[in-house]
Amino acid sequence: MMKTLVIAEKPDMGRNIASAIEPKAKNHRTYIEGEQYIITWAIGHLIGLAEPDAYDEKYKKWNIQHLPIIPDQFKLVPNRKTIDQLKVIGELAKRCGSLVNGCDAGREGQYIFSLIQRHLKLKQPVKRLWISDLTPETIRKGFAELKEGSEYDNLTKAATARSEADWLIGMNGSRAFTTKHNVLLSVGRVQTPVLALIYDRQKTIEAFTSLKYFEVEATFIQDDTTYRGMWQGERMTEKEKAEAIAAKVKGKSGRITTYEIKDVKEYPFKLYDLTLLQREANGKYGFSAKKTLDTAQSLYEKHKVISYPRTNSNYVTEQNIPEMHKTLQSLKGTTYNEWAEGANRSLVHKGNKFVCNPAKVEDHHAILPTNRKAGGLSPDEQKLYDLIVRRFLSHFYPAAEYKTHTVVTEVEGENFKTNVKELLSLGWKAIYADQSKGNEKSTKKGKEEDAVQEDEVNEPFNLDRDRPVLCRNAAMKEKDTQPPKAYTEGTLLKAMESAGKQIEDEEVRDAMKDSGLGTPATRAATIERLKNVGYIEMQGKRILVTQKGRTAIELIRAAGVELLTSPEMTGMWEKRLTEIARGGASNLQFMDNVKKFATMIVEKVRLQSRADVAAFGSEQSAERGRGKGAARGPRSSTRGRTGAAGRSETGVAASGAVKAASRTAVKTASKTTSKSSEQVQDGEPRTIAACPRPGCGGRLFMGRKGYGCSNYRSGCKFVIWKESFGRNLTEAQVKALAEKGKTAKLKLVLDDGSSIEGRIVVRNAANGELAVEN
């Protein structure tokens, strides 16, 4: 009987699957073989879309006359770094009669498998493993309920359309704007409208003029009850008027004209989807979106203590309710014991629409802790796990109960409004009682226009509306109108989710999720991409647009392709991709529209006047001063690695338009050299060693991403990347590689994710390719 080949997305996932379904299987390092199954894995994306020069040699040079580039059929190329693993999959497939797609249960996981299947021309029947966590029970259940691979054909179409659309917009847009303006300008289907969001917010802030205004706050007393009220009326811009009102009412008797009391219940906040988790981790811990995603992926894949994190749902299905009860039980005896013991299991049931809403669960349910006990977590993993567990536990507790008191007090014809929130029962908020602001809603409005503050009290609040009150004190307060806040990664993620629309209504915002910018799994990569290409920079938690980023948006809009900067338009594209995945829209029609749009971009840019290099900032001027390499075909300093960037939906075909670092790596290293005092000598970059390429005679100097050769213009391709084998190489280590051909023994991480102690050695002195030697 022929065996079944299971292809997981990553090594850890493959090992988890193997231990659940073939516990006695033999480990062969690149695959695990049992009696019925052979389990192997990709390492993220093993295959990508080919660069333009795979279609025609002329595309090696970036030339606007060669655009648009629109392939009839997109060619696939293996990632040279992981080609050995691709060959392993091909050999194993020859021995197997059927396949199981065990890649991540989502659009990109589907795409990774389909690329392998297409490139290797695998004809075996396919089943799909679709699971939301990696506990052995879930894996075994998933294998007992394998789906037909054909059920996911529409998802494959959507994933393919997404990738090819990104390639078309990224390749044509980036090449058109770059060659026209002779500065490397990265353009993308998702990254450009996100940059436009940040740009527009920053312009609004810069144009804002602060105005002074004045408020009057009074303190009232009736028997043992003291309360404060804010003066009600048109906003006051005259200080004298505010002071006069304060003097007029101070020490005078007043009466309560209206007094409303309401019973209010506050229910637990929604379970986490990835974007909400990223937003809250950014607000609470300052985590970047990428850091939260990577940490959550580790909790899922390595520790198996949470469910699949790349989800866009805040709800669960009926099938998840028993699992949630089981997880609650498993939290007893842990650091969460007190809350687990005090939880009410009966509150989480299939009729609780705050938790269980199958209509709002598509690929994956909300992020939940699993029933596996957490141990050996890093501090950051522990922080994220704690957020997820507390949110989970909160749904096993009743609503927090309050009485709200709304009072209007009149003194000398002036009205003052008071809002008091009286706590009756803490309910689920008891879980956050040890955190100063843990129970406050992150989306709380802070509009000064309301001019009414809410005081929260723990003791009973009593007033008799028929008896007088005394205005014990009154004072004028000077205020300034505030500009909108600069985006943080947390608030930017919220804006991306709703395609930039400022939507307070949660139901409307939920409906917008299908037409947001990017997907939960790719938004972090978009933000990282904008940082890497020099369009944005961080100032603390605030995101600021650089001069280069400003000019990029202004040029795109000036070219007449402002549609490319439109968050809503791009959001509609994302919605169309979701419809393709559901079988409700044509991928061919979508791609036809994208091709027309890519063509229009090129036609518009061709008519544009070249921008002054000074408009891009001093760094770009320095690049221009070092030669005309940019015009001949610049590339970004992205290494073309797989992983977060490899599965990016940021609009440059997984960094493709400006990726090809392997061919022009050295040019990049030179152009991105920072002219700081440490790195520049007599106006030239400081060199650290002779170039090891035989007969070269050049010198190595440090660029932003690597160490390149000074003879790059003469064709020397030697480069050593700073980030290699899980390490950020020091100058001393690079010098050792250049002069001795190897480093001392170091702790390293191989491409398959395994750790090893060994030396890094120069495998190929012609281009600086590195290897590991034990």
Side-chain angles (χ1 to χ4, degrees):
M1 184 185 78
M2 292 191 85
K3 295 182 180 181
T4 296
L5 180 64
V6 180
I7 302 174
E9 187 162 321
K10 292 178 186 163
D12 269 357
M13 188 183 285
R15 288 188 274 270
N16 287 330
I17 290 171
S19 64
I21 62 167
E22 288 279 13
K24 295 179 181 175
K26 187 177 179 188
N27 191 336
H28 294 271
R29 201 176 72 79
T30 53
Y31 67 96
I32 299 169
E33 184 162 0
E35 290 180 13
Q36 185 180 351
Y37 296 103
I38 301 174
I39 301 97
T40 189
W41 42 80
I43 305 164
H45 279 267
L46 298 182
I47 296 156
L49 298 181
E51 294 283 331
D53 54 46
Y55 300 93
D56 192 319
E57 277 287 309
K58 71 181 181 185
Y59 294 139
K60 277 191 175 177
K61 270 193 174 182
W62 287 30
N63 187 329
I64 200 164
Q65 302 310 320
H66 296 156
L67 302 179
I69 306 167
I70 299 178
D72 292 328
Q73 290 286 323
F74 281 85
K75 294 182 180 180
L76 304 181
V77 288
N79 180 339
R80 63 183 185 83
K81 285 184 160 297
T82 53
I83 196 163
D84 289 346
Q85 186 62 20
L86 185 62
K87 288 175 182 171
V88 167
I89 295 172
E91 290 304 313
L92 293 173
K94 291 173 185 173
R95 297 168 43 202
C96 296
S98 59
L99 307 174
V100 171
N101 176 0
C103 293
D104 272 3
R107 191 165 79 185
E108 286 307 296
Q110 191 68 20
Y111 189 49
I112 286 170
F113 179 86
S114 77
L115 289 177
I116 293 169
Q117 191 182 23
R118 273 166 61 194
H119 183 75
L120 295 176
K121 298 182 173 59
L122 305 180
K123 303 297 183 192
Q124 296 93 326
V126 177
K127 298 277 190 184
R128 183 56 157 118
L129 175 68
W130 193 272
I131 54 176
S132 274
D133 67 61
L134 290 173
T135 57
E137 310 91 89
T138 302
I139 293 168
R140 284 192 284 269
K141 187 168 183 281
F143 269 86
E145 300 169 357
L146 287 172
K147 308 280 197 295
E148 286 297 328
S150 57
E151 286 183 35
Y152 297 88
D153 285 351
N154 287 328
L155 186 61
T156 303
K157 286 178 185 174
T160 305
R162 192 282 302 163
S163 180
E164 292 176 358
D166 285 351
W167 194 99
L168 287 168
I169 301 299
M171 287 294 175
N172 289 293
S174 297
R175 286 186 175 218
F177 279 102
T178 295
T179 51
K180 171 57 79 172
H181 301 290
N182 204 20
V183 168
L184 183 65
L185 292 174
S186 175
V187 170
R189 182 183 66 89
V190 178
Q191 73 169 42
T192 301
V194 173
L195 178 61
L197 279 179
I198 304 164
Y199 171 90
D200 289 339
R201 172 67 60 89
Q202 196 159 314
K203 291 290 277 187
T204 304
I205 293 167
E206 288 166 0
F208 182 83
T209 304
S210 182
L211 294 172
K212 281 201 184 310
Y213 68 99
F214 302 91
E215 292 179 346
V216 177
E217 182 183 296
T219 306
F220 303 102
I221 187 164
Q222 185 190 75
D223 298 333
D224 295 332
T225 303
T226 302
Y227 64 99
R228 61 182 181 151
M230 302 300 292
W231 181 81
Q232 299 298 290
E234 291 290 317
R235 174 179 282 174
M236 289 185 285
T237 55
E238 298 169 26
K239 185 177 182 180
E240 294 75 15
K241 182 181 177 184
E243 286 174 335
I245 291 172
K248 177 181 172 185
V249 300
K250 186 174 179 179
K252 302 287 173 51
S253 178
R255 67 189 183 96
I256 296 169
T257 56
T258 63
Y259 185 11
E260 291 179 12
I261 302 173
K262 284 183 185 172
D263 287 319
V264 174
K265 288 186 176 184
E266 286 187 12
Y267 291 91
F269 301 141
K270 290 189 294 189
L271 292 166
Y272 286 121
D273 61 10
L274 177 60
T275 303
L276 185 57
L277 181 65
Q278 287 170 318
R279 280 167 48 193
E280 297 206 357
N282 179 255
K284 194 173 175 66
Y285 300 121
F287 287 6
S288 69
K290 182 180 186 301
K291 181 172 183 173
T292 297
L293 175 57
D294 290 347
T295 306
Q297 195 67 22
S298 177
L299 289 170
Y300 164 67
E301 206 170 284
K302 179 181 172 186
H303 299 287
K304 298 182 274 297
V305 293
I306 67 166
S307 62
Y308 184 71
R310 297 166 185 260
T311 175
N312 68 344
S313 179
N314 304 99
Y315 301 92
V316 302
T317 66
E318 293 172 7
Q319 289 75 39
N320 301 125
I321 300 296
E323 296 169 21
M324 291 177 75
H325 288 165
K326 195 172 177 183
T327 297
L328 177 67
Q329 186 65 32
S330 73
L331 288 169
K332 292 178 179 177
T334 69
T335 53
Y336 301 99
N337 181 67
E338 182 186 341
W339 297 324
E341 290 284 0
N344 181 353
R345 290 165 60 92
S346 65
L347 290 174
V348 174
H349 56 87
K350 64 184 181 183
N352 179 349
K353 292 300 177 193
F354 287 105
V355 175
C356 183
N357 193 339
K360 292 189 176 182
V361 181
E362 287 185 23
D363 296 344
H364 294 285
H365 57 71
I367 302 171
L368 301 171
T370 66
N371 58 29
R372 176 174 284 235
K373 282 191 166 48
L377 303 186
S378 72
D380 288 342
E381 287 169 343
Q382 182 59 51
K383 284 174 182 172
L384 209 60
Y385 180 68
D386 185 68
L387 284 179
I388 294 163
V389 172
R390 288 185 196 237
R391 183 62 56 96
F392 166 82
L393 283 168
S394 70
H395 286 275
F396 290 91
Y397 279 73
E401 295 182 19
Y402 297 89
K403 265 193 198 315
T404 61
H405 304 258
T406 306
V407 186
V408 176
T409 309
E410 184 195 329
V411 186
E412 299 290 310
E414 306 292 345
N415 288 323
F416 295 82
K417 190 173 184 182
T418 302
N419 287 332
V420 172
K421 191 174 174 185
E422 177 192 344
L423 176 67
L424 302 177
S425 168
L426 207 50
W428 62 273
K429 291 189 177 183
I431 288 170
Y432 296 93
D434 61 330
Q435 298 180 347
S436 56
K437 291 189 178 177
N439 61 350
E440 297 208 2
K441 200 160 190 173
S442 57
T443 55
K444 215 174 205 176
K445 292 184 223 176
K447 296 183 180 175
E448 73 256 357
E449 286 87 347
D450 295 342
V452 179
Q453 294 165 329
E454 184 175 67
D455 293 327
E456 196 165 321
V457 297
N458 294 331
E459 62 281 344
F461 181 83
N462 292 308
L463 284 176
D464 184 342
R465 66 170 297 164
D466 298 322
R467 292 177 52 228
V469 299
L470 175 66
C471 179
R472 193 167 67 180
N473 198 10
M476 178 271 296
K477 297 172 90 174
E478 187 177 300
K479 294 280 186 82
D480 292 297
T481 55
Q482 297 297 311
K485 286 186 165 62
Y487 279 118
T488 63
E489 289 203 25
T491 57
L492 181 60
L493 285 164
K494 180 182 173 184
M496 290 171 75
E497 189 174 48
S498 55
K501 288 188 177 177
Q502 296 305 306
I503 302 167
E504 294 298 337
D505 188 306
E506 288 206 2
E507 282 188 26
V508 179
R509 197 159 65 237
D510 279 351
M512 280 293 296
K513 277 188 175 184
D514 289 345
S515 52
L517 295 175
T519 67
T522 60
R523 288 176 189 136
T526 301
I527 297 170
E528 291 303 308
R529 175 85 188 136
L530 291 172
K531 292 176 190 173
N532 291 340
V533 297
Y535 285 163
I536 62 172
E537 59 191 10
M538 302 303 295
Q539 189 179 83
K541 279 189 185 180
R542 298 190 310 149
I543 301 172
L544 301 180
V545 178
T546 63
Q547 184 59 45
K548 184 180 179 184
R550 285 171 187 263
T551 303
I553 290 297
E554 286 160 7
L555 284 174
I556 290 165
R557 285 176 171 165
V561 286
E562 57 275 6
L563 220 53
L564 188 54
T565 67
S566 163
E568 289 184 38
M569 176 66 196
T570 309
M572 294 311 292
W573 289 4
E574 202 68 57
K575 184 179 183 184
R576 191 55 47 85
L577 287 167
T578 303
E579 288 169 357
I580 293 167
R582 293 173 184 162
S586 161
N587 58 313
L588 299 176
Q589 181 64 55
F590 173 78
M591 288 306 297
D592 191 46
N593 290 337
V594 171
K595 287 171 185 175
K596 286 175 184 169
F597 188 54
T599 303
M600 186 191 87
I601 292 170
V602 173
E603 287 169 353
K604 297 271 192 182
V605 176
R606 202 173 264 135
L607 301 173
Q608 201 172 24
S609 300
R610 175 168 289 181
D612 184 342
V613 70
F616 298 96
S618 57
E619 184 185 329
Q620 303 304 317
S621 302
E623 280 188 17
R624 177 77 62 92
R626 280 196 289 275
K628 295 182 180 175
R632 294 201 308 271
R635 302 289 193 265
S636 87
S637 49
T638 309
R639 282 184 64 190
R641 293 171 69 92
T642 52
R647 53 194 303 162
S648 156
E649 292 183 31
T650 57
V652 198
S655 308
V658 286
K659 183 168 74 174
S662 55
R663 293 197 302 277
T664 49
V666 188
K667 190 185 299 181
T668 294
S670 80
K671 289 197 312 188
T672 55
T673 299
S674 166
K675 289 206 167 193
S676 67
S677 57
E678 293 86 20
Q679 295 167 14
V680 178
Q681 296 170 337
D682 301 321
E684 289 300 317
R686 182 170 69 83
T687 61
I688 63 161
C691 176
R693 186 169 75 90
C696 173
R699 302 278 300 172
L700 297 188
F701 62 91
M702 185 172 77
R704 197 169 64 199
K705 298 276 184 178
Y707 292 80
C709 176
S710 57
N711 283 346
Y712 74 93
R713 287 197 185 95
S714 311
C716 180
K717 293 183 169 60
F718 189 93
V719 65
I720 292 174
W721 297 109
K722 288 181 193 173
E723 288 182 23
S724 296
F725 302 107
R727 296 190 71 89
N728 201 343
L729 296 181
T730 65
E731 189 174 294
Q733 287 162 346
V734 173
K735 195 172 181 188
L737 282 166
E739 294 175 350
K740 301 174 187 173
K742 61 184 177 183
T743 64
K745 279 210 165 184
L746 304 166
K747 285 188 176 173
L748 306 169
V749 179
L750 300 180
D751 275 344
D752 65 2
S754 60
S755 298
I756 188 173
E757 193 164 311
R759 301 176 196 276
I760 301 176
V761 298
V762 177
R763 177 190 278 175
N764 186 343
N767 60 13
E769 184 186 351
L770 304 177
V772 172
E773 179 179 277
N774 285 336

Coordinates of all heavy atoms in Angstrom, one line a residue, residues 309-349:
P309 N -3.6 31.9 15.5 CA -3.7 33.3 15.7 C -4.1 34.2 14.5 O -4.5 35.3 14.7 CB -2.3 33.7 16.2 CG -1.4 32.7 15.5 CD -2.1 31.5 15.4
R310 N -3.9 33.7 13.3 CA -4.1 34.6 12.1 C -5.6 34.6 11.7 O -5.9 34.3 10.6 CB -3.2 34.2 11.0 CG -1.7 34.3 11.2 CD -0.9 33.5 10.2 NE 0.5 33.5 10.5 CZ 1.4 34.2 9.9 NH1 1.0 35.1 9.0 NH2 2.7 34.1 10.2
T311 N -6.4 35.0 12.7 CA -7.9 34.9 12.5 C -8.4 36.3 12.5 O -7.9 37.2 13.1 CB -8.5 34.1 13.6 OG1 -10.0 34.2 13.4 CG2 -8.2 34.6 15.0
N312 N -9.6 36.5 11.8 CA -10.3 37.8 11.8 C -11.6 37.7 12.5 O -12.5 38.6 12.3 CB -10.5 38.3 10.3 CG -11.5 37.4 9.6 OD1 -11.8 36.3 10.0 ND2 -12.0 37.9 8.4
S313 N -11.8 36.7 13.3 CA -13.1 36.5 14.0 C -12.9 36.7 15.5 O -11.9 36.3 16.1 CB -13.7 35.1 13.7 OG -14.9 34.9 14.5
N314 N -14.0 37.3 16.1 CA -14.0 37.5 17.6 C -14.9 36.5 18.2 O -15.3 36.7 19.4 CB -14.4 38.9 17.9 CG -13.6 40.0 17.2 OD1 -14.0 40.5 16.2 ND2 -12.4 40.3 17.8
Y315 N -15.4 35.5 17.5 CA -16.4 34.6 18.0 C -16.0 33.1 17.8 O -15.0 32.8 17.2 CB -17.7 34.8 17.3 CG -18.2 36.2 17.5 CD1 -17.9 37.2 16.5 CD2 -19.0 36.6 18.6 CE1 -18.3 38.6 16.7 CE2 -19.4 37.9 18.7 CZ -19.1 38.9 17.8 OH -19.5 40.2 18.0
V316 N -16.8 32.2 18.4 CA -16.5 30.8 18.3 C -17.8 30.1 17.7 O -18.8 30.7 17.7 CB -16.1 30.1 19.6 CG1 -14.9 30.8 20.2 CG2 -17.3 30.2 20.6
T317 N -17.6 28.8 17.4 CA -18.8 28.1 16.9 C -19.2 27.1 18.1 O -18.6 27.0 19.1 CB -18.4 27.2 15.7 OG1 -17.5 26.2 16.2 CG2 -17.8 28.0 14.6
E318 N -20.4 26.5 17.9 CA -20.9 25.6 18.9 C -19.9 24.5 19.3 O -19.8 24.0 20.4 CB -22.2 25.0 18.4 CG -23.3 26.0 18.3 CD -24.6 25.5 17.6 OE1 -24.6 24.2 17.4 OE2 -25.5 26.3 17.3
Q319 N -19.1 24.1 18.3 CA -18.2 23.0 18.5 C -17.1 23.4 19.5 O -16.4 22.6 20.2 CB -17.5 22.5 17.2 CG -18.4 21.8 16.3 CD -19.4 22.7 15.5 OE1 -19.0 23.8 15.2 NE2 -20.6 22.2 15.4
N320 N -16.8 24.7 19.6 CA -15.7 25.2 20.5 C -16.1 25.3 22.0 O -15.3 25.4 22.8 CB -15.3 26.6 20.0 CG -14.8 26.6 18.6 OD1 -15.2 27.4 17.8 ND2 -13.8 25.8 18.3
I321 N -17.4 25.3 22.2 CA -17.9 25.5 23.6 C -17.4 24.4 24.6 O -16.8 24.7 25.6 CB -19.4 25.6 23.7 CG1 -20.0 26.7 22.8 CG2 -19.9 25.7 25.1 CD1 -19.5 28.1 23.3
P322 N -17.5 23.1 24.2 CA -16.9 22.0 25.1 C -15.4 22.2 25.3 O -14.9 22.0 26.4 CB -17.2 20.7 24.4 CG -18.3 21.0 23.4 CD -18.2 22.5 23.0
E323 N -14.7 22.7 24.2 CA -13.2 22.9 24.3 C -12.9 24.0 25.3 O -12.0 23.9 26.1 CB -12.7 23.3 22.9 CG -12.8 22.2 21.9 CD -12.4 22.8 20.5 OE1 -11.7 23.8 20.4 OE2 -12.8 22.1 19.5
M324 N -13.8 25.0 25.3 CA -13.6 26.2 26.2 C -13.8 25.7 27.6 O -13.0 26.1 28.5 CB -14.5 27.3 25.8 CG -14.2 28.0 24.5 SD -15.4 29.3 24.1 CE -14.9 30.6 25.2
H325 N -14.7 24.9 27.9 CA -15.0 24.3 29.2 C -13.8 23.5 29.7 O -13.4 23.5 30.8 CB -16.2 23.5 29.3 CG -17.5 24.4 29.2 ND1 -18.7 23.8 28.9 CD2 -17.7 25.7 29.3 CE1 -19.6 24.8 28.9 NE2 -19.0 26.0 29.1
K326 N -13.2 22.7 28.7 CA -12.1 21.9 29.0 C -10.9 22.7 29.4 O -10.1 22.4 30.3 CB -11.8 21.0 27.8 CG -10.8 19.8 28.1 CD -10.8 18.9 26.9 CE -9.8 17.8 27.1 NZ -9.7 17.0 25.9
T327 N -10.7 23.8 28.6 CA -9.6 24.7 28.9 C -9.7 25.4 30.2 O -8.7 25.6 31.0 CB -9.5 25.8 27.8 OG1 -9.2 25.1 26.5 CG2 -8.4 26.8 28.1
L328 N -11.0 25.8 30.6 CA -11.2 26.4 31.9 C -10.8 25.5 33.0 O -10.1 25.9 33.9 CB -12.7 26.7 32.0 CG -13.1 27.3 33.4 CD1 -12.5 28.7 33.6 CD2 -14.7 27.4 33.5
Q329 N -11.1 24.2 32.8 CA -10.7 23.2 33.8 C -9.2 23.1 33.9 O -8.6 23.0 35.0 CB -11.3 21.8 33.5 CG -11.1 20.7 34.5 CD -11.8 21.0 35.8 OE1 -12.9 21.7 35.8 NE2 -11.3 20.6 36.9
S330 N -8.5 23.1 32.8 CA -7.1 23.0 32.8 C -6.3 24.2 33.4 O -5.2 24.1 33.8 CB -6.6 22.7 31.4 OG -6.6 23.9 30.6
L331 N -7.0 25.3 33.5 CA -6.4 26.5 34.1 C -6.4 26.4 35.6 O -5.7 27.2 36.3 CB -7.1 27.8 33.7 CG -6.8 28.2 32.2 CD1 -7.8 29.3 31.7 CD2 -5.4 28.6 32.0
K332 N -7.2 25.5 36.2 CA -7.1 25.3 37.6 C -5.8 24.7 38.0 O -5.2 23.9 37.3 CB -8.3 24.4 38.1 CG -9.6 25.0 37.9 CD -10.8 24.1 38.3 CE -12.1 24.8 38.1 NZ -13.3 24.0 38.4
G333 N -5.2 25.2 39.1 CA -3.9 24.7 39.6 C -2.8 25.5 38.9 O -1.6 25.2 39.2
T334 N -3.1 26.5 38.1 CA -2.1 27.3 37.5 C -2.1 28.7 38.2 O -2.8 28.9 39.1 CB -2.4 27.6 36.0 OG1 -3.5 28.4 35.8 CG2 -2.6 26.2 35.2
T335 N -1.3 29.6 37.7 CA -1.4 31.0 38.3 C -2.7 31.6 38.1 O -3.0 32.7 38.7 CB -0.3 31.9 37.6 OG1 -0.5 31.9 36.2 CG2 1.1 31.4 38.0
Y336 N -3.6 31.1 37.2 CA -4.9 31.6 37.0 C -6.0 30.8 37.9 O -7.2 31.0 37.6 CB -5.3 31.5 35.6 CG -4.3 32.3 34.7 CD1 -3.3 31.7 34.0 CD2 -4.4 33.7 34.6 CE1 -2.4 32.4 33.2 CE2 -3.5 34.4 33.8 CZ -2.5 33.8 33.1 OH -1.6 34.5 32.4
N337 N -5.5 30.1 38.9 CA -6.4 29.2 39.6 C -7.6 29.9 40.3 O -8.7 29.5 40.2 CB -5.6 28.4 40.7 CG -6.4 27.5 41.5 OD1 -6.9 26.5 40.9 ND2 -6.7 27.8 42.7
E338 N -7.3 31.0 40.9 CA -8.3 31.7 41.7 C -9.5 32.1 40.7 O -10.6 32.0 41.0 CB -7.7 33.0 42.3 CG -8.7 33.8 43.1 CD -8.1 35.1 43.6 OE1 -6.8 35.2 43.7 OE2 -8.9 36.0 44.0
W339 N -9.1 32.7 39.5 CA -10.2 33.1 38.6 C -10.8 31.9 37.9 O -12.0 31.9 37.7 CB -9.6 34.0 37.5 CG -9.0 35.3 38.1 CD1 -9.5 36.0 39.1 CD2 -7.8 35.9 37.6 NE1 -8.7 37.1 39.3 CE2 -7.7 37.1 38.4 CE3 -6.9 35.7 36.6 CZ2 -6.7 38.0 38.3 CZ3 -5.8 36.6 36.5 CH2 -5.7 37.8 37.3
A340 N -10.1 30.8 37.7 CA -10.7 29.6 37.1 C -11.7 29.0 38.1 O -12.7 28.5 37.7 CB -9.6 28.6 36.7
E341 N -11.3 29.0 39.4 CA -12.2 28.4 40.4 C -13.5 29.2 40.6 O -14.6 28.7 40.8 CB -11.5 28.3 41.8 CG -10.4 27.3 41.8 CD -10.9 25.9 42.0 OE1 -12.1 25.7 42.0 OE2 -10.0 25.0 42.0
G342 N -13.3 30.6 40.4 CA -14.5 31.4 40.6 C -15.3 31.6 39.4 O -16.4 32.3 39.4
A343 N -14.9 30.9 38.3 CA -15.7 31.1 37.0 C -17.0 30.3 37.0 O -17.1 29.3 37.7 CB -14.8 30.6 35.9
N344 N -17.9 30.8 36.2 CA -19.2 30.1 36.1 C -19.3 29.5 34.7 O -19.5 30.2 33.7 CB -20.3 31.2 36.3 CG -21.7 30.5 36.2 OD1 -21.9 29.4 35.8 ND2 -22.7 31.3 36.5
R345 N -19.1 28.2 34.6 CA -19.1 27.5 33.3 C -20.4 27.7 32.5 O -20.4 27.8 31.3 CB -19.0 26.0 33.5 CG -17.6 25.5 34.0 CD -17.7 24.1 34.6 NE -18.2 23.2 33.5 CZ -17.3 22.5 32.7 NH1 -16.0 22.6 32.9 NH2 -17.8 21.7 31.8
S346 N -21.5 27.9 33.2 CA -22.8 27.9 32.5 C -23.0 29.2 31.7 O -23.9 29.4 30.9 CB -23.9 27.8 33.5 OG -24.0 28.9 34.4
L347 N -22.1 30.2 32.0 CA -22.2 31.5 31.2 C -21.7 31.4 29.8 O -22.1 32.2 28.9 CB -21.4 32.6 31.9 CG -22.0 33.1 33.3 CD1 -21.1 34.1 33.9 CD2 -23.4 33.7 33.1
V348 N -20.9 30.4 29.5 CA -20.4 30.2 28.1 C -21.1 29.0 27.5 O -20.9 27.9 27.9 CB -18.8 29.9 28.1 CG1 -18.4 29.6 26.7 CG2 -18.1 31.2 28.6
H349 N -22.1 29.3 26.7 CA -22.9 28.3 26.1 C -23.3 28.7 24.7 O -23.1 29.9 24.3 CB -24.2 28.1 26.9 CG -25.0 29.3 27.1 ND1 -26.0 29.8 26.3 CD2 -24.9 30.3 28.1 CE1 -26.5 30.9 26.7 NE2 -25.9 31.2 27.8

